Amino acid sequence: MPAPRARRILVTSALPYANGHIHLGHLVEYIQTDIFVRFQKLRGHRAVYLCADDTHGTAIMIRARAEGRSERELVASMREAHLADFAGFEVEFDHYGSTDSDANRRLCGEVWRALRARGLVTSRDVRQLFDPVAGVFLADRFVRGGCPKCGASDQYGDSCERCGATYGPADLVDPRSTLSGATPEVRSAEHLFVTIEALHDFLDHWTREAGALDPRVANYLAGHFLGEPLRDWDVSRPAPYFGFEIPDAPGHYWYVWFDAPVGYLAATDEWCAQHGESFDTWWRRAAAADAPAEIHHFIGKDITYFHTLFWPAMLEAAGLALPTKVRIHGFLTVDGQKMSKSRGTFLLARTYLDHLDPAALRYYYASKLSGGIDDIDLNLEEFAAKVNADLVGKVVNLASRTARWLEHTGLAADYPDDGGLFARAAGEGAEIAAAYEACDFARAMRTIMLAADRANAYVDAEQPWRLAKAGTGSAARLRDVATVALNLFRQLAVYLAPVLPRLAAQAGELVGGPIASWEESQAPLVGAAVGPFVPLMQRVEPKQIEAMLAASRESAAATPSGGTAVEADIGPPNTDSGAPLAAEPLAPTCTIDDFSRVDLRVARILSAEEVPEARKLLKLTVGLGGDSTRTVFAGIKGFHDPAALVGRLVVVVANLAPRQMKFGLSEGMVVAASGAGAEGVYLLSPDAGALPGMRLH
RNA sequence: GGCAGCGUAGCUCAGUUGGUUAGAGCACCGGCUUCAUAAGCCGGGUGUCGCCGGUUCAAGUCCGGCCGCUGCUACCA
């Protein structure tokens, strides 16, 4: 197989929004991209993986406000969390930037000037609802009110969930801002637009002819957007807005979807500065003309048109290089359904890492990703079965069952006759590589596992354990058989290295040294030392999955219903606001004896129901283990869905004197955090492993 | 409400431009093996290819209709 000429490949994943944590749905894309990049590097190409946090927009502004800190504080703490999650899953960026950077501001300005220079920017007034208390313009989903048709209350600003009528937010009966509760006003504001219709011919041609898009996507675009004149793209938002003010239009800010893709350019620019590279040779057409770089964008299907219409239009207008490939993937379901907080299947990256091996998810995703735009399903039962059968049972087991016989002797000096097994799998390298190149990782995994099956069958047929018992007369034969098996194992590790970098590294430690090139799959090792075998990968146990789901359910239940999830633990401790403590100063000092009079216990919520007549009470039955249960009224109605509470562990004051309430006798108290004028009541949960009845000391 | 995609074995999926008796893994059953992380190997049922109709010598595959599911969208592209 001739060594392919080295390519320069710039690869991006969509920029995660700084409004929330990374979850398993996000990871489909980052793992997919990471596998692709690692594959290209293994093949000897110059691949650069770039990404950044997407930091601007109304949602960030509102969330920061709710948390009582600045947008930049929010963005900075979320960045740390994102990077930690990616590192945990072995997603390895060459550079990770931010759209809130100097480079991005400068490059936005450059693209903007190009659009202006080509006469593609116009302006006109847009009428929109405005929240006079919060001081911001409101998207439809931030407005609720009565349906003008059927009168149903508390409907969104665009359509009625009860009768299905559609209307504008201004038509609502008694409209309210969901931010402040204020009655919104209709206001008019100037917006700036890009007239991308002027680039219609270019887009027609690029979407169909450039080879960057799957024909299905090109057809979709042709049928839905390019079949008629393109509407102007609204690219500005009036103040207040967290983002970059437009230099030649004071009071106007670039819409987040304008500066987000420019973040790809900014990340490239920063990476170039750090590595002595020239930005121009990656992105400027003139400079790159003789040896153009490839540009691959990995995105979810939801943001297709931003990356296939607006983004190429911006690049075209600015004279920058166009994407070589826009690779679009589908969404993740868990056990066949949309991820759900109450089912515990809204799985954050961190929650997964607390319980399971990232390699297991990387392999599972690889086995499901075929390069298409179909959604993929994380079936948790299949997940465990597949990882255990394929990785532990077949691949790792191959080394586990043969390495011990070579620990003292190392590999045989000549590669033995293996019936053509190694050569056959080496010959399949081109097919496996083609599948990786096409992002059809599922096909690659199938082909690799067939080779693993053949390798195990070989071991079974040669029965090295019998050779071991047969004594010194069979020692040479035993060494040959184990040499074959270990070579086949290392060959599999090379093929799997893009998916399982840690396994590849461990395989290198066992025999042959670090795996640095795909070519290592093509020739067997001989005479090399063999290290002591250490377990390479643990089985996925059902208990771990259950624990992860339980933890996920509990953290979801702790999130106030309605509104954005607001996690308090996303940043370094010293960035927390002092407001809650100031609002409720510490109580007078008490002694340990004082404290010990309060008997706090872990309890499990056995049932939860609304108390219809009560404004804030839920009626809970909690269990302290065994037959010990009691009824507790908790003032958490409206913040917790009763159904979601059942089963979770909480902390109760177990020796509190019973109190006769209007709705019944309350035999204790569930402790929860609240205060500082902030809304929300937050139940406490013990770490996994705590049992009902345990006392807090 | 708008748009798109999907529907093949119990589960997750392959099925290339229409072409023999429709495939894989898991699960399940039987047997073998015991070196290995209760791992491995061999054999075996696995099926109205969502429903109805059409084109064709030939339809899982192409066309139309229907049903079901899913996703995106709803500051409109």
Side-chain angles (χ1 to χ4, degrees):
Chain A
M1 186 163 64
R5 236 186 317 154
R7 295 145 58 188
R8 293 192 306 139
I9 309 171
L10 193 153
V11 188
T12 69
S13 293
L15 312 187
Y17 202 38
N19 188 33
H21 286 286
I22 302 301
H23 55 64
L24 295 198
H26 291 115
L27 283 167
V28 171
E29 176 170 314
Y30 299 101
I31 288 174
Q32 180 187 38
T33 315
D34 187 67
I35 290 170
F36 182 78
V37 172
R38 286 179 188 271
F39 166 72
Q40 299 296 355
K41 289 177 176 173
L42 193 64
R43 297 279 280 176
H45 299 306
R46 188 81 200 287
V48 183
Y49 185 9
L50 301 172
C51 196
D53 262 353
D54 181 16
T55 58
H56 291 154
T58 308
I60 297 287
M61 195 167 67
I62 287 167
R63 175 165 175 162
R65 198 177 286 188
E67 293 179 14
R69 54 178 173 167
S70 74
E71 288 93 349
R72 293 208 160 83
E73 286 172 325
L74 166 62
V75 164
S77 63
M78 195 57 86
R79 174 188 176 84
E80 294 307 310
H82 284 178
L83 287 172
D85 289 344
F86 289 134
F89 279 94
E90 298 172 271
V91 173
E92 199 169 86
F93 303 109
D94 288 283
H95 181 71
Y96 194 83
S98 165
T99 59
D100 196 45
S101 69
D102 293 339
N104 202 41
R105 184 190 293 272
R106 180 168 48 74
L107 286 159
C108 283
E110 181 183 324
V111 173
W112 183 250
R113 281 193 300 279
L115 293 168
R116 284 275 201 200
R118 292 188 57 162
L120 297 176
V121 179
T122 61
S123 75
R124 66 170 170 272
D125 283 355
V126 171
R127 288 162 64 78
Q128 216 180 333
L129 289 181
F130 181 82
D131 182 328
V133 175
V136 296
F137 284 92
L138 297 166
D140 285 0
R141 68 172 181 277
F142 288 123
V143 186
R144 304 204 74 156
C147 170
K149 209 165 233 173
C150 75
S153 62
D154 199 30
Q155 297 301 310
Y156 284 111
D158 54 351
S159 65
C160 176
E161 290 175 307
R162 195 169 91 180
C163 73
T166 58
Y167 38 79
D171 301 327
L172 286 172
V173 178
D174 191 24
R176 296 283 171 190
S177 163
T178 60
L179 301 182
S180 68
T183 303
E185 315 166 351
V186 177
R187 284 202 191 177
S188 193
E190 185 189 34
H191 284 226
L192 298 167
F193 293 81
V194 173
T195 53
I196 59 167
E197 174 59 12
L199 294 165
H200 198 136
D201 289 345
F202 157 74
L203 289 171
D204 266 338
H205 183 264
W206 183 78
T207 54
R208 280 205 315 267
E209 309 294 339
L213 303 180
D214 184 309
R216 290 156 81 189
V217 175
N219 287 341
Y220 159 77
L221 295 170
H224 293 269
F225 305 107
L226 296 169
E228 53 191 70
L230 292 162
R231 294 185 219 180
D232 293 347
W233 181 31
D234 186 350
V235 292
S236 80
R237 294 294 181 271
Y241 192 75
F242 179 57
F244 292 142
E245 190 167 24
I246 302 175
D248 58 13
H252 293 80
Y253 290 73
W254 282 308
Y255 175 47
V256 59
W257 264 111
F258 182 87
D259 72 46
V262 176
Y264 299 141
L265 303 179
T268 311
D269 191 63
E270 290 169 348
W271 176 81
C272 285
Q274 289 164 7
H275 292 82
E277 290 260 342
S278 157
F279 174 88
D280 292 2
T281 64
W282 290 91
W283 283 101
R284 302 243 186 250
R285 285 188 212 175
D290 44 343
E294 297 174 34
I295 297 167
H296 296 245
H297 294 307
F298 284 79
I299 62 167
K301 61 187 183 182
D302 54 320
I303 55 177
T304 297
Y305 88 116
F306 287 108
H307 283 82
T308 57
L309 296 178
F310 295 151
W311 178 232
M314 289 163 74
L315 293 168
E316 171 71 8
L320 296 170
L322 295 162
T324 310
K325 286 277 183 197
V326 179
R327 299 182 180 270
I328 304 173
H329 63 80
F331 282 81
L332 180 75
T333 54
V334 177
D335 283 341
Q337 293 179 292
K338 194 150 69 163
M339 293 201 294
S340 149
K341 289 190 177 179
S342 63
R343 278 191 292 271
T345 57
F346 193 92
L347 292 162
L348 294 178
R350 184 51 45 190
T351 311
Y352 177 98
L353 290 172
D354 285 343
H355 296 89
L356 288 158
D357 182 350
L361 192 72
R362 289 180 66 101
Y363 176 71
Y364 184 77
Y365 280 175
S367 77
K368 304 292 265 190
L369 285 166
S370 57
I373 59 173
D374 298 327
D375 293 344
I376 68 170
D377 184 50
L378 169 55
N379 179 301
L380 292 168
E381 214 170 302
E382 186 202 26
F383 164 71
K386 193 163 224 152
V387 169
N388 292 344
D390 291 357
L391 296 185
V392 181
K394 287 178 187 168
V395 178
V396 165
N397 194 220
L398 198 55
S400 173
R401 64 195 303 202
T402 54
R404 52 180 293 211
W405 287 306
L406 297 175
E407 221 178 295
H408 302 297
T409 64
L411 297 178
D414 298 303
Y415 189 69
D417 178 9
D418 66 358
L421 277 181
F422 190 95
R424 179 173 173 190
E428 287 169 344
E431 181 189 335
I432 295 167
Y436 270 121
E437 182 71 43
C439 289
D440 191 349
F441 303 156
R443 180 180 291 278
M445 295 307 109
R446 276 198 301 275
T447 307
I448 294 168
M449 285 310 142
L450 287 175
D453 284 339
R454 294 195 299 267
N456 275 301
Y458 169 84
V459 173
D460 215 69
E462 297 299 330
Q463 303 186 316
W465 54 94
R466 286 203 176 165
L467 298 171
K469 283 175 189 160
T472 51
S474 300
R477 180 66 193 146
L478 173 63
R479 193 182 183 192
D480 280 354
V481 168
T483 293
V484 168
L486 218 51
N487 262 296
L488 295 174
F489 166 70
R490 194 179 144 102
Q491 187 180 42
L492 295 172
V494 173
Y495 288 150
L496 289 168
V499 178
L500 303 171
R502 204 185 60 217
L503 177 70
Q506 289 172 316
E509 282 169 26
L510 180 67
V511 61
I515 291 169
S517 164
W518 183 265
E519 290 304 306
E520 296 182 43
S521 64
Q522 299 301 298
L525 295 169
V526 289
V530 174
F533 180 79
V534 291
L536 303 176
M537 185 170 288
Q538 301 305 313
R539 300 171 62 77
V540 172
E541 301 293 342
K543 270 186 187 170
Q544 295 172 289
I545 292 176
E546 285 163 25
M548 174 178 73
L549 293 176
S552 187
R553 265 193 298 273
E554 292 190 15
S555 66
T559 300
S561 60
T564 314
V566 179
E567 293 88 344
D569 59 346
I570 55 175
N574 59 0
T575 63
D576 288 334
S577 160
L581 181 61
E584 188 171 350
L586 293 181
T589 303
C590 75
T591 67
I592 186 72
D593 292 325
D594 290 329
F595 171 73
S596 64
R597 280 200 285 276
V598 181
D599 194 340
L600 298 170
R601 298 282 174 158
V602 175
R604 189 181 299 283
I605 296 177
L606 302 175
S607 72
E609 55 185 278
E610 304 255 4
V611 180
E613 316 91 296
R615 190 167 56 87
K616 0 193 258 191
L617 291 182
L618 291 185
K619 182 180 179 181
L620 307 177
T621 305
V622 299
L624 294 173
D627 296 326
S628 176
T629 67
R630 50 184 72 194
T631 302
V632 176
F633 289 86
I636 56 174
K637 182 175 178 177
F639 298 104
H640 294 87
D641 173 11
L645 286 173
V646 175
R648 70 168 284 184
L649 297 178
V650 294
V651 174
V652 300
V653 184
N655 63 339
L656 190 67
R659 183 172 179 84
Q660 186 63 46
M661 305 181 75
K662 185 176 170 187
F663 313 106
L665 187 68
S666 187
E667 306 165 296
M669 176 174 161
V670 175
V671 302
S674 64
E679 285 211 344
V681 178
Y682 305 95
L683 291 173
L684 302 183
S685 297
D687 281 351
L691 298 171
M694 282 183 179
R695 183 168 183 184
L696 277 71
H697 296 282

